[in-house]
Amino acid sequence: MRAPPPVMLSLDLGSSGLKGSAFDTLGRPLAGLETHSSVELRAGPDGAAEVNLPALVRGIEDVLDGLHQRLGQRPVLGVALTSFVSSLVVLDSAGQPTGPALSYADTRSAGEVEAVAQLVDPAQVGCPAFSAYWPAQLRWWRAAHPQLRPARYCGVADYLLLRWTDAWLTSYSLASWTGMLDRFSLTWNAGALAAAGVEADQLPELADHDTARTLRPEFQARWPKLAGVPFYLGVSDGATATVGSGAAGDGCVALTVGGTSAVRMAVTGPPPAVPPGLWSYRITRQTHLLGGALIEGGNLYGWLTSVLHLGSADLDSELLAMDPDSHGLTFIPSLGGTRSPDYDPHARGTVHGLGYATTPAQIARAAMESVTCRLADLAGRLPLPDDAVFIASGRALLASRPWQQMLADALGRPLLLGERLGGASARGAALLALEAQGYPLPDGPGPCRRVEPVAGHHELYQDATRRMHALETALSGLRGLRPSPGTRSTVPA
């Protein structure tokens, strides 16, 4: 009997869900070999956005149990891992997690950002001081938990690798999202270490994505089909989404709208200059990722549908029937602060122009357009070639034809939608692991649907973007007067 072909397993750690899938050596997902588990960040009114680490570990190991059960006799080439970034896990001297694990969305370290900015050169680490990065988070964590005795620090994907294989390693990709990787020496940056108040030996050793380890005996017994199989270092979901959507080639720009959203462009060679408001991370040792990210994306759409009770099957038709920026509203989507280009954890959202005739669908369209305008603004900051190709992915975008058209119009460029099964991030992780074993990366995005911009709409979105900027500037002076949720105004009657 002919032996079944080998597969590459891929584990995708999302901030709102966990997924395991299998791909063949051409990067095609295999039907019937996909498992899921849910996980949510624990949010609090003080800016907390914590990773429920025990639940995440249980969930991803349940996912791997399911894949292991469904493998049959298929040989496994390896296990790839991709993760949301960044995350911070604190370990005690016994190697056990202690205290809360933080996600990129946790803003409680905002008070430390100014001090970090005085000590860390953003040109060296590729990003500005911000509450999503480790230097500020580490300072806040230790000050908030003086009774605990942290020994080492890592990300969620690094912790899983440590738990499963005993390897104390992280990839250049994951490290670049911490705000502590020196992009020139590929070592932990001295200024960032000083700002964070940690030593380099308290952080994982650095290596490229093609480094792998094998399971400890305990987990070999749990997953015997994976005994001796290489488990590769985790890679950031932004990097793997770029690779998996086919946008890692020259002249390609990756646009992702999942839970959050981002614009990214792969660059090879020496570290590129970082345009104002953007960042430079890593896919691999040789490949940089230049771009910007927003906190808002599909999470904003989910909030809108819940708060405005938008459950109608005709919503897409209503949205498509509206002309761009025709609702008279200016929506600022900073419900959880801002990342690129302003990096302001204290920013908050607002909507201006409401009238008695305003409909829920108009508010939804204004909100979606606001995210679209921000993404187009970030794309305009990139050093784009004239023939740049925009390749889009992400569950929220692929599920919404109105959003697809808005984005093509705001860019003023055709948008290619890579409607691949398996997910771009999971596929990208599998492709990088396959490349590490000598399999060539496929060229281009593969089969796509093309969305053309409508003539004249680009200029309307440029006007809307300028109006958003003007409103943000006008509101910035009111920040000190804004009460916190649950507090009473002190202005006398």
Side-chain angles (χ1 to χ4, degrees):
M1 181 180 292
R2 185 177 178 182
V7 300
M8 179 66 70
L9 301 185
S10 182
L11 302 178
D12 186 353
L13 312 179
S15 57
S16 59
L18 310 170
K19 181 172 68 175
S21 45
F23 295 82
D24 66 14
T25 56
L26 297 177
R28 298 176 300 195
L30 301 178
L33 280 174
E34 184 171 306
T35 55
H36 297 263
S37 181
S38 61
V39 67
E40 293 183 355
L41 298 180
R42 294 186 295 204
D46 59 349
E50 296 177 0
V51 179
N52 186 342
L53 190 61
L56 185 146
V57 171
R58 286 193 303 272
I60 199 62
E61 291 181 353
D62 287 346
V63 163
L64 205 44
D65 287 341
L67 283 178
H68 187 270
Q69 183 178 4
R70 298 180 188 186
L71 276 172
Q73 299 303 310
R74 297 177 181 87
V76 179
L77 295 169
V79 180
L81 181 61
T82 184
S83 175
F84 65 91
V85 279
S86 65
S87 59
L88 175 64
V89 177
V90 181
L91 304 177
D92 62 21
S93 58
Q96 296 301 308
T98 182
L102 308 186
S103 77
Y104 60 89
D106 198 300
T107 61
R108 289 174 292 181
S109 63
E112 302 290 347
V113 169
E114 185 175 351
V116 170
Q118 304 301 315
L119 299 170
V120 183
D121 182 357
Q124 292 181 2
V125 297
C127 55
F130 187 55
S131 58
Y133 300 126
W134 280 10
Q137 288 192 342
L138 285 166
R139 292 168 68 101
W140 173 86
W141 196 100
R142 288 196 310 275
H145 305 91
Q147 77 282 8
L148 300 179
R149 295 292 178 263
R152 297 193 292 180
Y153 310 91
C154 64
V156 166
D158 310 323
Y159 173 70
L160 290 174
L161 193 72
L162 175 66
R163 173 179 166 83
W164 294 338
T165 73
D166 273 338
W168 183 238
L169 293 166
T170 194
S171 67
Y172 297 127
S173 176
L174 290 179
S176 68
W177 255 267
T178 67
M180 295 189 66
L181 180 71
D182 192 300
R183 52 201 294 259
F184 298 95
S185 65
L186 291 181
T187 59
W188 295 113
N189 179 264
L193 289 170
V198 299
E199 302 293 333
D201 60 7
Q202 293 180 280
L203 306 181
E205 296 179 25
L206 294 160
D208 212 351
H209 73 99
D210 54 2
T211 303
R213 295 292 185 266
T214 56
L215 291 172
R216 295 194 293 114
E218 173 190 351
F219 290 101
Q220 290 182 26
R222 180 170 179 172
W223 303 310
K225 296 174 186 176
L226 305 181
V229 168
F231 276 63
Y232 288 93
L233 301 192
V235 180
S236 77
D237 57 358
T240 54
T242 303
V243 173
S245 63
D250 292 341
C252 292
V253 180
L255 286 147
T256 303
V257 184
T260 57
S261 53
V263 180
R264 313 177 188 94
M265 183 172 70
V267 179
T268 56
V274 184
L278 303 186
W279 38 245
S280 178
Y281 299 141
R282 293 272 175 159
I283 299 178
T284 67
R285 173 189 285 271
Q286 296 85 11
T287 309
H288 309 269
L289 197 60
L290 202 61
L294 306 179
I295 292 176
E296 59 274 4
N299 55 4
L300 178 63
Y301 184 82
W303 177 82
L304 286 165
T305 56
S306 173
V307 171
L308 301 178
H309 303 290
L310 293 170
S312 169
D314 297 326
L315 178 59
D316 275 7
S317 298
E318 289 186 67
L319 296 173
L320 284 168
M322 297 181 204
D323 291 329
D325 197 31
S326 61
H327 35 65
L329 304 175
T330 303
F331 197 105
I332 306 300
S334 308
L335 274 67
T338 64
R339 296 189 78 175
S340 311
D342 301 319
Y343 300 95
D344 184 356
H346 301 293
R348 288 296 178 265
T350 192
V351 58
H352 177 73
L354 292 169
Y356 287 119
T358 302
T359 68
Q362 288 177 325
I363 297 173
R365 169 114 195 177
M368 295 166 73
E369 287 180 342
S370 71
V371 176
T372 299
C373 289
R374 282 187 167 178
L375 289 172
D377 176 70
L378 295 181
R381 297 167 185 257
L382 289 169
L384 300 174
D386 292 338
D387 59 350
V389 177
F390 288 85
I391 301 171
S393 64
R395 182 176 299 178
L397 184 63
L398 295 180
S400 174
R401 286 184 177 266
W403 222 342
Q404 297 162 16
Q405 188 63 57
M406 293 175 205
L407 193 50
D409 289 346
L411 292 168
R413 308 260 193 131
L415 191 65
L416 300 183
L417 294 162
E419 297 178 320
R420 294 183 181 275
L421 298 174
S425 292
R427 180 175 185 263
L431 288 175
L432 288 172
L434 287 166
E435 184 187 37
Q437 297 189 8
Y439 294 93
L441 285 176
D443 294 328
C448 287
R449 183 167 62 85
R450 185 181 176 101
V451 180
E452 296 286 350
V454 177
H457 286 188
H458 176 62
E459 291 74 18
L460 294 174
Y461 283 118
Q462 287 183 311
D463 289 342
T465 301
R466 285 189 285 267
R467 200 171 66 248
M468 287 173 62
H469 290 163
L471 180 58
E472 288 173 310
T473 300
L475 291 174
S476 63
L478 299 177
R479 179 170 296 174
L481 302 177
R482 183 181 65 212
S484 300
T487 63
R488 300 178 63 181
S489 172
T490 57
V491 178

